[in-house]
Amino acid sequence: MNEDKAKIFLDRILNRIDNGEFDEHLNIPFASRKLLKSLVEAKMARKVETKSTPVLSDTDLWNCVSEVRETAAYTASVLFENGLLVKDEKGVGLNPTLEKLLNPQK
């Protein structure tokens, strides 16, 4: 597939992401549309580079969603393990000491 067609295809996928089609699967901390879009763009670039067809299948797209969720879960676990995130009666948030360092006005 040539680059022009791939760009059109990529724009359609990015529009689906922007329209919230995958939001219900990005419902955990650190999983975001931005991360999903970056991953899709990287995979699309690789597929265009290797002249792969189809450029990005629906299965590839759902694999990207799964990768984003895995990355988000891993990020959260690392932050919890290192005490940067804490869970209290209000929910999950920054460690109060860290929050004071980042926002001394509070």
Side-chain angles (χ1 to χ4, degrees), residues 41-67:
E41 288 170 346
K43 289 198 182 272
M44 180 70 84
R46 179 73 180 136
K47 292 232 177 190
V48 167
E49 183 181 300
T50 60
K51 298 186 184 347
S52 208
T53 304
V55 174
L56 202 64
S57 69
D58 218 35
T59 301
D60 291 330
L61 184 54
W62 284 105
N63 285 339
C64 288
V65 171
S66 293
E67 285 183 47

Side-chain angles (χ1 to χ4, degrees), residues 4-73:
D4 292 335
K5 287 182 182 178
K7 173 75 172 123
I8 292 168
F9 191 69
L10 176 61
D11 287 343
R12 287 182 185 158
I13 292 172
L14 296 179
N15 283 335
R16 288 173 63 189
I17 295 169
D18 286 336
N19 290 334
E21 186 172 326
F22 305 98
D23 285 0
E24 68 184 70
H25 304 284
L26 303 177
N27 59 353
I28 61 174
F30 305 105
S32 66
R33 288 180 185 178
K34 184 176 181 180
L35 184 58
L36 179 56
K37 287 166 69 171
S38 294
L39 184 57
V40 166
E41 288 170 346
K43 289 198 182 272
M44 180 70 84
R46 179 73 180 136
K47 292 232 177 190
V48 167
E49 183 181 300
T50 60
K51 298 186 184 347
S52 208
T53 304
V55 174
L56 202 64
S57 69
D58 218 35
T59 301
D60 291 330
L61 184 54
W62 284 105
N63 285 339
C64 288
V65 171
S66 293
E67 285 183 47
V68 165
R69 289 181 58 84
E70 289 170 13
T71 301

